[in-house]
Amino acid sequence: MAPPRTRQARYARRRKRRMDAVEHDLLPEQWAALTAAWGGCAYCGATGVPMQRDCVLPISRGGRYTLANIAPACRSCNASKCNDEVTGWLRRKKLDERAFLERHVVIQAALAAQFPVETPAEPQAVR
């Protein structure tokens, strides 16, 4: 049986291929710390609604789910941003671009100290 040919089904297959092509390394405890640090939607500041993982650099543009590339977003902001570049989208929506970027840097620095990146050890030279 052939797969469904609707636009929604094609988009879902394309997104699945993009998601499978990259390695995501965002841990659940990192997501919890990230949502706690932001205290709501990173873009509009909405609180009391479920937060979604939004890639600052979209997956379709080379981003992935990592601590440095994820911001919590309400459903409205996440759907509106889609795969747009974050600063252009913030300007178009008339949201405070500077405040987001400054806070993003501060939160990322704090979380990087809390969750240090483990670098693989260099292999020893064989003699």
Side-chain angles (χ1 to χ4, degrees), residues 8 14 25 32 48 51 58-59 61 69 74 77 79 81-82 84-85 88 92 97 108 112 118 120-122 126:
Q8 185 177 13
R14 196 172 354 149
D25 60 0
M51 292 295 124
I59 292 170
R61 296 179 185 225
N69 191 43
C74 64
C77 287
K81 183 177 165 283
C82 191
D84 289 342
E85 194 271 328
R92 193 171 59 254
E97 174 187 358
Q108 290 304 313
E118 296 176 14
E122 292 187 26
V126 179

Side-chain angles (χ1 to χ4, degrees), residues 18-89:
R18 280 194 309 259
M19 293 290 284
D20 291 344
V22 295
E23 183 180 335
H24 304 288
D25 60 0
L26 183 71
L27 302 173
E29 52 271 8
Q30 291 173 328
W31 172 245
L34 194 61
T35 55
W38 279 99
C41 179
Y43 305 120
C44 70
T47 58
V49 295
M51 292 295 124
Q52 300 177 350
R53 292 172 176 90
D54 181 55
C55 289
V56 176
L57 176 65
I59 292 170
S60 62
R61 296 179 185 225
R64 58 194 188 106
Y65 285 171
T66 63
L67 185 60
N69 191 43
I70 293 291
C74 64
R75 182 186 322 188
S76 175
C77 287
N78 196 10
S80 172
K81 183 177 165 283
C82 191
N83 71 337
D84 289 342
E85 194 271 328
V86 71
T87 54
W89 175 78

Side-chain angles (χ1 to χ4, degrees), residues 103-126:
R103 190 154 182 225
H104 183 67
V105 168
V106 169
I107 289 173
Q108 290 304 313
L111 292 177
Q114 185 178 350
F115 298 101
V117 178
E118 296 176 14
T119 56
E122 292 187 26
Q124 297 294 325
V126 179

